[in-house]
Amino acid sequence: MIPNDFVQTLLSRVDIVEVIDRQVPLKKAGANYSACCPFHSEKTPSFTVSPSKQFYHCFGCGAHGTAIGFLMEYGGKSFPDAVAELAHDAGLEVPRVAGPAQEVQREQSQDLFELLLRAAKYYRAALKDAPNAIEYLRARGLTGAIAARFGIGYARDEWQPLAHTFTDYQDKALETAGLVIASEGGKRYDRFRSRIMFPIHDASGRVIGFGGRVLDDGEPKYLNSPETLVFAKGRELYGLFQARPAIRSAGKVLVVEGYMDVVALAQHGIEYAVATLGTATTPTHVQKLFRVTDSVIFCFDGDDAGRRAAWRALEHALPLLADGKQARFLFLPDGEDPDDAVRRRGKAALEALIDAATPLSDFLLAELAQRSPPTSAEGRAALVSAAKPLLAQLNAPVLAALLRRRLAAIAGLPETELSALLPPAPVAASRRPTAVASVRSAPSLLRDLIKCVLLEPSLARRVDVPRPVDAGVYGAALAALIGFCLDNDGPLTTAGVMQHFAGGAHDAVLLAALTAGESEGLSAESLEIQLVDGVKRYWTVRQKRVAPSETQDEKSLELSPEEAERARQRRLVQERLGRGC
């Protein structure tokens, strides 16, 4: 675990403008910087980066965060990896607080990364002395440049080729890394032999495993590393590390089934392809892809096995779809994989097929109609019954409404009757801007107190700011904010505070206060004056709340539902007394 005070120190030393500008070119716009948002498609820039607050915010899609958050959201990195990258740039060493078991696991993982990287370098060097492997790659149309880009190597046709690079071949860690197998008789030999080697990278570019393709007709055709501390097939996608820039540029990702498909497509200029690692598409795969792009195209063979795999991908994609995101399906002719297709048809023809891929909604309804032909009342009933659990998973209101309309037409039912038979339509998801808009209308006094502390967190140590526990979401956010500032001895920054609360219950409230205050351009002195005055007003209002008639003052602080009901009852009593009831 990374200590929170280190995160605060780190964010006080990095420059978010430099971090983001490396990936998304920024332009000066007054006191801030702007660009077209990298998280959604737009023509007019609504993505703003504040150098004073070290925070980014898109007024279009609501994306927001610190330098750490940007590396996680845009770069697909984990929190520890994002912190490590920023710490390296800032010349800091990341301290860690962990129990004995966690520390051992972290050290083991680090050891595995080092072993796997060393093996990858060995395989790559061995390829230069393997004419049969070089000829195989050339026959597949690959150049040395593309082989180098993906780090392709070769495992020699020997029992212990890695013994050439690991002097301690008996090291137990080689088994843990999945590089060596120990037989029951105690003999040890390499897992990968006489195979083209494809290193698999994580989001940070570290080698976490390998895929090996046999050169002849041996079995299995493809062999993957086993599951380890650093590698899980259901979480990783081959080529995603290399393809990320092209995916961003193209606005789409093509999901294929083989390593060679990814490499061959890249060789022909289609660089936005990734591959599953010999396993079916998982929810984690889909989630990762939708974090990088809004358009995912799954490419499968057109045979029965391919359509079954496509259906599994559809089932995993449904709960993750949002209006504005789309999944599509490309079915190639039987016996033709993407590698064959791009070599036979060429880039332009294959990309035309990709652009014409079947939308998820069309594939879903066509597949249901094939399974339950709507040629009779019974068939239409079965079709609607099969659609019910699928539509229940959708969280995209517009897409759900359109699918219901099409399903009603196929079933021959009025849409109103069909709606009564299906689960309730999803309500529009509360995207981040909506959450911000809803809290902006909250009482101004608590919001102003939060604003002052958030824009100048050190004020919490100089001004005795109240921590209300009975004033709804704004009171809870203020209490949590003050508590955090007082409990931390290190440097306090706006970015550090926002990073601490990122994605939590108070995130929307704090963002609303931050964006409102950022536009005012207040100095530290002005903020302190406002905060002191606000605290005085707060206590004045609290004292007045004991008088039932002070209903206007009650509105200046946010009431909990219970308090609001009690205030309403008090007003009713007063009105009845005033009428002599």
Side-chain angles (χ1 to χ4, degrees):
M1 190 168 105
I2 301 172
N4 183 68
D5 58 350
F6 176 78
V7 174
Q8 302 300 312
T9 300
L10 176 63
L11 288 173
S12 71
R13 296 195 186 184
V14 300
D15 183 356
I16 192 172
V17 174
E18 289 184 6
V19 173
I20 294 179
D21 192 53
R22 294 175 200 155
Q23 308 291 335
V24 181
L26 299 172
K27 292 184 179 180
K28 196 80 167 67
N32 297 326
Y33 290 80
S34 68
C36 286
C37 181
F39 302 111
H40 80 288
S41 299
E42 63 177 7
K43 295 181 180 179
T44 303
S46 59
F47 181 79
T48 300
V49 182
S50 169
S52 61
K53 303 309 169 193
Q54 291 293 299
F55 198 75
Y56 72 85
H57 180 222
C58 175
F59 293 91
C61 72
H64 61 275
T66 64
I68 294 174
F70 181 81
L71 291 182
M72 293 173 66
E73 188 84 7
Y74 185 83
K77 298 181 183 296
S78 65
F79 177 79
D81 288 343
V83 170
E85 181 174 325
L86 292 176
H88 178 269
D89 293 343
L92 299 174
E93 183 175 348
V94 181
R96 295 181 185 272
V97 178
Q102 291 175 309
E103 186 60 28
V104 168
Q105 186 174 13
R106 187 186 70 82
E107 291 178 357
Q108 288 178 341
S109 296
Q110 189 59 40
D111 290 342
L112 294 186
F113 287 133
E114 293 174 2
L115 290 175
L116 292 164
L117 177 59
R118 189 170 168 185
K121 290 179 178 179
Y122 168 74
Y123 290 138
R124 185 170 172 181
L127 178 62
K128 299 176 183 178
D129 300 320
N132 57 333
I134 293 174
E135 181 56 34
Y136 172 84
L137 294 175
R138 284 177 177 168
R140 302 298 293 264
L142 303 185
T143 62
I146 207 72
R149 176 184 172 189
F150 286 91
I152 296 175
Y154 176 66
R156 296 179 180 178
D157 189 12
E158 304 172 8
W159 282 103
Q160 298 179 336
L162 286 178
H164 294 285
T165 191
F166 292 104
T167 53
D168 184 8
Y169 190 74
Q170 302 302 315
D171 188 353
K172 180 72 174 177
L174 292 176
E175 293 178 53
T176 306
L179 297 170
V180 168
I181 297 174
S183 66
E184 293 181 1
K187 293 184 178 180
R188 296 167 68 85
Y189 55 92
D190 278 23
R191 179 177 300 274
F192 300 101
R193 304 181 309 279
S194 187
R195 289 179 180 271
I196 300 292
M197 297 298 291
F198 299 87
I200 303 163
H201 302 83
D202 65 7
S204 299
R206 296 174 299 193
V207 179
I208 56 175
F210 294 94
R213 192 197 190 286
V214 70
L215 283 177
D216 51 30
D217 296 328
E219 293 293 337
K221 183 178 179 180
Y222 283 100
L223 180 65
N224 289 320
S225 290
E227 303 268 321
T228 68
L229 284 173
V230 299
F231 176 62
K233 290 184 291 186
R235 293 201 311 260
E236 306 299 337
L237 290 157
Y238 177 73
L240 181 58
F241 173 70
Q242 292 89 346
R244 193 181 299 274
I247 293 171
R248 298 277 189 193
S249 177
K252 58 191 171 188
V253 61
L254 181 68
V255 185
V256 295
E257 296 183 277
Y259 307 104
M260 190 59 72
D261 293 327
V262 172
V263 177
L265 288 168
Q267 178 70 65
H268 287 80
I270 301 177
E271 300 179 345
Y272 49 86
V274 300
T276 53
L277 302 172
T279 184
T281 305
T282 67
T284 304
H285 290 151
V286 180
Q287 192 172 41
K288 274 191 172 187
L289 293 170
F290 274 136
R291 288 184 65 183
V292 182
T293 182
D294 289 340
S295 179
V296 180
I297 303 104
F298 296 98
C299 182
F300 295 100
D301 290 341
D303 57 12
D304 290 341
R307 298 191 79 85
R308 285 195 299 271
W311 186 258
R312 287 195 295 271
L314 177 146
E315 290 177 319
H316 293 321
L318 273 175
L320 299 170
L321 283 175
D323 292 326
K325 293 187 180 293
Q326 59 175 318
R328 292 180 288 154
F329 296 85
L330 171 60
F331 296 100
L332 295 175
D334 289 354
E336 185 175 76
D337 57 30
D339 180 8
D340 299 324
V342 74
R343 284 189 287 142
R344 293 174 184 172
R345 304 169 185 266
K347 176 186 176 183
L350 182 57
E351 287 202 303
L353 291 177
I354 293 171
D355 291 338
T358 304
L360 176 143
S361 56
D362 290 353
F363 175 49
L364 185 151
L365 293 175
E367 190 70 16
L368 290 178
Q370 183 177 357
R371 297 178 183 184
S372 302
T375 54
S376 65
E378 291 81 1
R380 291 192 290 272
L383 189 151
V384 171
S385 177
K388 285 176 65 174
L390 298 169
L391 293 181
Q393 298 180 54
L394 265 177
N395 294 307
V398 176
L399 178 60
L402 294 171
L403 271 170
R404 286 164 178 263
R405 184 175 302 171
R406 292 181 60 185
L407 183 62
I410 294 172
L413 286 171
E415 195 171 346
T416 52
E417 289 186 18
L418 179 68
S419 296
L421 302 172
L422 295 176
V427 179
S430 57
R431 295 178 63 84
R432 285 172 283 196
T434 307
V436 171
S438 66
V439 295
R440 277 183 181 149
S441 61
S444 60
L445 179 51
L446 288 177
R447 185 183 64 202
D448 285 348
L449 294 179
I450 292 173
K451 174 195 71 178
C452 293
V453 176
L454 197 53
L455 292 177
E456 197 64 41
S458 61
L459 289 176
R461 296 171 177 171
R462 302 199 300 271
V463 180
D464 187 13
V465 184
R467 294 194 237 180
V469 294
D470 58 350
V473 294
Y474 261 74
L478 179 60
L481 174 60
I482 299 302
F484 173 76
C485 292
L486 295 180
D487 291 343
N488 284 271
D489 298 327
L492 286 173
T493 63
T494 301
V497 173
M498 293 299 292
Q499 181 60 50
H500 175 75
F501 290 104
H506 309 305
D507 188 33
V509 171
L510 297 181
L511 178 63
L514 177 62
T515 52
E518 180 74 359
S519 62
E520 297 175 16
L522 299 172
S523 65
E525 294 77 11
S526 299
L527 288 168
E528 185 165 3
I529 292 170
Q530 275 198 19
L531 183 61
V532 172
D533 180 65
V535 170
K536 290 178 181 178
R537 287 192 294 119
Y538 173 87
W539 289 119
T540 300
V541 170
R542 292 289 293 194
Q543 291 172 358
K544 287 183 177 181
R545 283 178 62 187
V546 298
S549 60
E550 298 289 349
T551 56
Q552 183 60 40
D553 283 333
E554 285 176 344
K555 293 180 181 178
S556 64
L557 287 172
E558 187 178 21
L559 303 180
S560 66
E562 294 79 8
E563 287 181 309
E565 178 60 23
R566 286 197 295 270
R568 190 181 71 83
Q569 294 294 340
R570 287 198 299 268
R571 287 195 296 273
L572 289 175
V573 170
Q574 289 295 318
E575 289 172 3
R576 288 170 184 164
L577 289 174
R579 293 195 302 267
C581 298

